[in-house]
């Protein structure tokens, strides 16, 4: 990130809120109460991830007038709110599907690797006075993390109710990454 003294008041405000959201997400994902169920663990770790995307999108809506980005942020809010609702509905049933200790260990090792990389990329995303670009540089690794977390969980025995939710996350997040990469290339 550029030195803070070079940033506008709006950029500082935006980034301050972003870093708070990032810390809340990291805490929510790493402190989640885990069980012997990959399906349940995925849900309790993905919900804080989705909540962060919603809050990040609400944050950017205060600062951007870029129509395509407003559409992207509103789409994130809508899609991830629906995804959280669907995961909460699936959680009681999915929590009953237990996995072997070996699978749980392997899942968590992969999850930790994915999450740590995402946290690092998001925390070190380049920031300047182009707040719209900042958001996309932060959200792209966030979306990539969601895709990788879904792919990780899908490699194991998970509850059937969760699979369509995961496939939708993969599809929408990959689409969002492409949209943001194209838009970012046009504005920087």
């Amino acid at each position: 990130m550029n030195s803070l003294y070079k940033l506008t008041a709006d950029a500082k405000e935006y980034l301050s809120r972003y870093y708070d959201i990032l810390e809340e997400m990291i805490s929510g994902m790493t402190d989640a109460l885990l069980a012997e169920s990959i399906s349940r663990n995925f849900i309790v770790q993905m919900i804080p991830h989705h909540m962060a995307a919603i809050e990040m999108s609400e944050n950017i809506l205060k600062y951007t007038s870029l129509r395509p980005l407003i559409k992207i942020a509103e789409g994130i809010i809508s899609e991830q709110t629906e995804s959280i609702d669907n995961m909460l509905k699936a959680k009681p049933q999915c929590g009953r599907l237990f996995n072997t200790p070996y699978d749980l260990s392997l899942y968590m090792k992969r999850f930790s690797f994915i999450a740590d990389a995402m946290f690092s990329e998001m925390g070190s995303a380049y920031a300047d006075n182009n707040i719209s670009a900042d958001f996309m540089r932060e959200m792209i690794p966030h979306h990539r993390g969601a895709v990788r977390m879904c792919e990780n969980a899908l490699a194991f025995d998970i509850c059937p109710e969760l699979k369509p939710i995961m496939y939708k996350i993969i599809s929408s997040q990959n689409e969002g990454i492409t949209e943001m990469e194209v838009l970012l290339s046009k504005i920087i």
Side-chain angles (χ1 to χ4, degrees):
M1 180 172 75
N2 286 347
S3 300
L4 285 179
Y5 70 88
K6 294 180 181 178
L7 296 176
T8 65
D10 279 352
K12 287 179 185 178
E13 230 176 72
Y14 167 81
L15 288 169
S16 175
R17 179 66 187 124
Y18 165 68
Y19 290 123
D20 287 345
I21 294 166
L22 178 58
E23 286 303 314
E24 290 168 19
M25 180 187 78
I26 292 169
S27 177
M29 291 176 71
T30 56
D31 296 341
L33 183 60
L34 302 180
E36 295 176 359
S37 167
I38 290 172
S39 301
R40 185 192 177 285
N41 293 349
F42 174 86
I43 291 169
V44 300
Q45 291 175 312
M46 186 56 80
I47 287 175
H49 183 272
H50 274 9
M51 289 171 50
I54 292 167
E55 291 176 28
M56 288 169 65
S57 297
E58 291 169 345
N59 190 32
I60 191 59
L61 289 173
K62 297 175 192 170
Y63 299 96
T64 192
S65 58
L66 189 61
R67 262 328 287 161
L69 187 56
I70 291 169
K71 184 178 176 235
I72 289 169
E74 288 173 343
I76 290 170
I77 292 167
S78 174
E79 288 173 7
Q80 302 214 7
T81 298
E82 179 184 342
S83 185
I84 290 171
D85 291 344
N86 290 336
M87 284 188 283
L88 288 172
K89 287 176 192 165
K91 185 179 170 189
Q93 180 67 23
C94 288
R96 290 186 213 129
L97 177 63
F98 296 107
N99 300 91
T100 66
Y102 176 79
D103 281 353
L104 285 162
S105 175
L106 186 56
Y107 167 80
M108 280 310 300
K109 283 180 185 170
R110 290 177 183 169
F111 170 84
S112 295
F113 179 79
I114 293 164
D116 289 346
M118 179 185 62
F119 300 154
S120 175
E121 287 179 56
M122 290 178 70
S124 63
Y126 180 78
D128 57 21
N129 287 312
N130 187 339
I131 297 171
S132 296
D134 293 347
F135 171 81
M136 290 184 276
R137 287 188 289 252
E138 298 152 358
M139 187 59 79
I140 289 169
H142 184 273
H143 274 16
R144 281 192 186 120
V147 169
R148 291 174 181 147
M149 286 185 279
C150 288
E151 291 169 345
N152 178 37
L154 285 164
F156 297 93
D157 187 23
I158 57 168
C159 71
E161 296 85 355
L162 199 50
K163 288 181 181 181
I165 297 169
M166 290 177 172
Y167 290 128
K168 187 168 184 182
I169 291 170
I170 291 169
S171 173
S172 68
Q173 308 275 313
N174 276 328
E175 183 179 309
I177 290 166
T178 301
E179 279 183 292
M180 286 186 282
E181 286 175 338
V182 169
L183 183 57
L184 186 58
S185 72
K186 292 179 181 177
I187 68 167
I188 56 171

